[in-house]
Amino acid sequence: MRAAALCLIIVLLLTSGCWDRHELEDQAFVSVIGFDLGPKNNLRISYIIPLPVTGEDGGGEGGRDLMVTVESNSVHEAGFIANTFVSRRINVSQVAAYIIGEELAESGLEDLIDPILRDRELRVAAPWTLIVKGTAQEFMERIKPKLGAHAGRWLVGHMELWEHTGLGQRSHFIQFLRSVAWPAGASVVTLGAVNPGNLVTGFSPSPARLVPGKVARQGEVPLDIVGSAVIFRQKMIGQLDGNESRLQNIMAGAFSSGFIAFEDPNNPDRLVSLRMKQGSPPRVRIEAADPVRIDLRVFLEGDLMEQREQVDFSSQEKTNQLQARLQARLEEDAQKLIRKAQREFKADIFRFDLHARRRFWTTRDWENFDWSKRFPEAEIKVHFDLKLRRFGMQLKPLQPVE
């Protein structure tokens, strides 16, 4: 009896060892993975690996990264191929972002999404998703921050700024997957591009369109992260510039705050600049008729930050006039974006489908209604309820002393 107990203890000790343990020093933790379409319809996969900080780096936060690229027919095989020349085991459990090249996004993402979902090591919930003009490889090669951050941290920091500016999207990979899983509507993913860093000569009073790769700028990393890619049925079908992305966020109820510049309705050579924030959530009313009728009411609050015209805003009449002019401009821009979604994309980028499906008792009834075919023909009305709250430290124009 004692011998049997002793044998059982020995067996338990042998089976409880950490045989699958890997030392940290033997692993290469990947922070960013890029996916491109290969030359033979295979995949070209790039990895950015932050290098550890050593005493020679002077301490503090390092900014050195190693980037490697391989070609493979499989997302999972690529890591093993990389280990034929990278001396540490490729570990993708800490990936911060996925970058997808334009050609791959346009050809279809089915062969990319499925293997990421099946791999236990690849992260699904946390990583950001970015679609870039050109190739992911070229974009990743340009991520060399001047301020010391590693490439992954720099990229995540920029992606998180969408909430401050509204010029991009909350495009975590898990949210991207949920949008793809809902075939009735399109998903919008933040867009990026390489920028040569040229400043445009001359001055235009019109607000900049903020097209990725063409933003008038110089300095820091030569990359723009602004605008959105429109994904419908797992393919990229179009793009939105920065201002269109912000307006799409406002209409979809995803806008937090940001600055918006308008041409002055009374003087096209001047600008009106507002700091805007979402008031109450947008109100959506949908009538499931033929055609579908949608009524959208958006609530915004604004602080006037700049107006190059001498206006006395202590007068409620002047305030109401400016509010009415800006509301009309927002509604005009919203109708242009709706026409673009209906005629060019033929896809619902505003997530009206989430409100429409509540009108049906069963999933079968909703699927038979076929929202993807109904949306392009829908009659959509938009009304903006804008309230100007503050006008800075001075309500009346500055009067010179005689």
Side-chain angles (χ1 to χ4, degrees), residues 207 260-264 270-274 326 329-330 333:
I260 302 180
F262 302 88
E263 292 180 8
D264 191 321
R270 296 181 181 274
L271 292 179
V272 176
S273 178
L274 300 177
L326 296 180
R329 179 57 188 271
L330 284 167
D333 291 343

Side-chain angles (χ1 to χ4, degrees), residues 83-94:
N83 272 136
T84 63
F85 58 96
V86 176
S87 61
R88 297 188 180 188
R89 177 179 178 269
I90 297 293
N91 188 311
V92 294
S93 63
Q94 302 299 315

Side-chain angles (χ1 to χ4, degrees), residues 94-124:
Q94 302 299 315
V95 172
Y98 298 124
I99 299 179
I100 303 171
E102 183 177 22
E103 188 177 4
L104 177 60
E106 289 176 339
S107 66
L109 300 172
E110 301 92 337
D111 295 337
L112 179 62
I113 294 173
D114 184 70
I116 291 178
L117 288 176
R118 292 180 183 276
D119 193 332
R120 294 182 179 180
E121 190 171 308
L122 279 167
R123 305 175 77 198
V124 174

Side-chain angles (χ1 to χ4, degrees), residues 244-300:
E244 290 172 331
S245 296
R246 180 170 51 202
L247 186 56
Q248 183 272 334
N249 275 318
I250 291 174
M251 295 171 67
F255 181 73
S256 177
S257 64
F259 286 88
I260 302 180
F262 302 88
E263 292 180 8
D264 191 321
N266 287 341
N267 188 347
D269 294 331
R270 296 181 181 274
L271 292 179
V272 176
S273 178
L274 300 177
R275 177 162 50 199
M276 307 281 278
K277 65 179 181 179
Q278 195 96 50
S280 304
R283 188 175 67 201
V284 182
R285 292 180 177 175
I286 295 180
E287 183 180 345
D290 190 12
V292 172
R293 296 182 179 88
I294 302 174
D295 182 67
L296 173 65
R297 193 177 186 91
V298 181
F299 303 91
L300 293 174

Side-chain angles (χ1 to χ4, degrees), residues 181-202:
W182 294 327
S187 60
V188 282
V189 181
T190 302
L191 193 61
V194 175
N195 189 320
N198 295 324
L199 290 175
V200 179
T201 58

